[in-house]
Amino acid sequence: MTTMGRLRTRTLIAGMVALATVGLAPAASAATGIDTRWSEPGPYAVTVEALDSAHTVYRPSRLERHPVILWGNGTGANPKIYDGLLRHLASHGFVVAAADTPNAGSGQEMLAGATTLIAENSRPGSRYEGKIDTAHIGATGHSQGGGGAIVAGADPRVTTTIPIEPGPQGSATALKGPSFFLGGQFDTIVIPALLVVPRYRLADQIPAIYGELGGATHFTPGGDGGGFRGAITAWFRFWLSGDERARAEFFGPSCGLCGDGAWSDVRRNAKALAVPGA
C-alpha cells in the first residue's frame, strides 16, 4: 500500500471511531432508574392521629403549609395495613387523610377527608388553620381504594390521582388531573392487562402514565408500599409540591421510570409525552 493509501485508511478508521462515539453519546446520559431519594424517608418527623371520627391523619409533626393526599384502603383493610407507606408520604411533607373504612370504593369516604381538612384550614384555633394547601389535593388507594381514588379524581378539588392496582369503581374518562396507574406484574386479583391497562388507555383526556412493577403481587403495596413507594412519592412531589427534582422521573425522553429495570412495563400517553422533561 502506498503512503497516500495508508493515510486514507487511517483517516477512514478515525472517522468511523468518531461516528461510533457520537452514536453512543445519548446512551451515556440515559436515565438509570428512579432516584432512590424518593423511597428513602423524607425530612419531616411524623405524627399519626385521628382527624375526625372517620379518618386517620398522617402528617408532618411540625405543620407548615402542606398538600393533601386522600387515601383509600383495599377491601377489608384499614390504614394500619399500609402504615409504613402512609408514614413515608407524611415524611415527605404531605398531610395524608386516610379513610377508616374497609370499603372505600365509592370515593365519598376519601373526599370527606378533603372536606374536613379544607374546613379545618379555615377554622380559627384549629391546628390546621392556614396549614393546608387546598389547591393541591391528590387521591390514591389500593385495590378497592384504587377504584375509589378514580372516583375521587373526578372531583374538581382533586388535582392528581394514583390508582394502585385499582378495583373497577369510577370512570377513567372523568378524571380531572394527571394520573399514574399502577399495576403488579404477578397480580392475579387485579390483572394488569385486563383491569388496569384498559383504564389507563381510556384516560386520554389527561396526562396519564401506566407503570407495572416487576414481580409485584396484589399484596405488594401493603406495609411500606414495597417497590411502588418511590414512584408514588416522586409523582406526588412533582404534581402536589412542585418539586422539579421529580419531573425527570416521568417526563422527557430519558425519564427515570422508563429506564428503571424494576418496572416490567411503562407506558405514557400522548398528553404525558407532551409534558416537558427536566
Side-chain angles (χ1 to χ4, degrees):
M1 182 181 294
T2 66
T3 300
M4 184 61 69
R6 286 195 295 270
L7 180 59
R8 288 174 178 170
T9 300
R10 289 171 184 170
T11 301
L12 179 60
I13 292 172
M16 292 172 66
V17 170
L19 286 172
T21 302
V22 170
L24 291 172
S29 62
T32 57
I34 294 178
D35 195 309
T36 57
R37 78 176 79 202
W38 310 116
S39 59
E40 296 168 353
Y44 293 90
V46 174
T47 292
V48 181
E49 61 188 7
L51 174 62
D52 54 26
S53 62
H55 300 85
T56 297
V57 70
Y58 291 73
R59 63 170 177 84
S61 298
R62 182 178 180 275
L63 288 168
E64 297 166 356
R65 188 168 183 268
H66 304 278
V68 171
I69 295 174
L70 309 177
W71 173 263
N73 308 301
T75 303
N78 58 61
K80 290 182 179 179
I81 299 296
Y82 308 93
D83 185 76
L85 174 59
L86 304 183
R87 286 179 181 272
H88 178 80
L89 292 171
S91 81
H92 279 269
F94 302 105
V95 172
V96 183
D100 293 322
T101 176
N103 295 294
S106 75
Q108 298 312 304
E109 299 85 359
M110 298 170 65
L111 289 169
T115 300
T116 296
L117 283 171
I118 291 170
E120 288 294 298
N121 184 64
S122 301
R123 184 172 69 83
S126 168
R127 66 165 54 94
Y128 296 102
E129 183 182 4
K131 305 298 186 182
I132 300 299
D133 181 357
T134 59
H136 293 93
I137 299 175
T140 186
H142 175 228
S143 196
Q144 184 181 158
I150 294 175
V151 177
D155 188 289
R157 295 173 294 178
V158 175
T159 57
T160 188
T161 307
I162 304 180
I164 307 170
E165 300 175 331
Q169 300 85 355
S171 170
T173 60
L175 288 166
K176 295 290 194 297
S179 294
F180 184 22
F181 293 81
L182 294 177
Q185 183 184 22
F186 297 143
D187 188 345
T188 58
I189 296 174
V190 177
I191 300 171
L194 299 180
L195 299 172
V196 188
V197 172
R199 309 191 81 189
Y200 150 76
R201 288 175 174 162
L202 285 170
D204 59 1
Q205 78 282 7
I206 54 169
I209 294 179
Y210 170 70
E212 180 182 284
L213 183 62
T217 71
H218 193 65
F219 303 102
T220 298
D224 66 2
F228 290 109
R229 183 178 66 251
I232 291 170
T233 305
W235 182 270
F236 281 140
R237 283 295 304 177
F238 178 63
W239 287 109
L240 297 181
S241 301
D243 191 335
E244 283 295 321
R245 298 174 301 171
R247 177 188 293 272
E249 307 296 7
F250 304 101
F251 305 108
S254 300
C255 78
L257 182 74
C258 305
D260 195 323
W263 295 81
S264 49
D265 190 0
V266 174
R267 310 183 192 196
R268 299 185 290 174
N269 72 3
K271 282 188 165 49
L273 289 171
V275 176

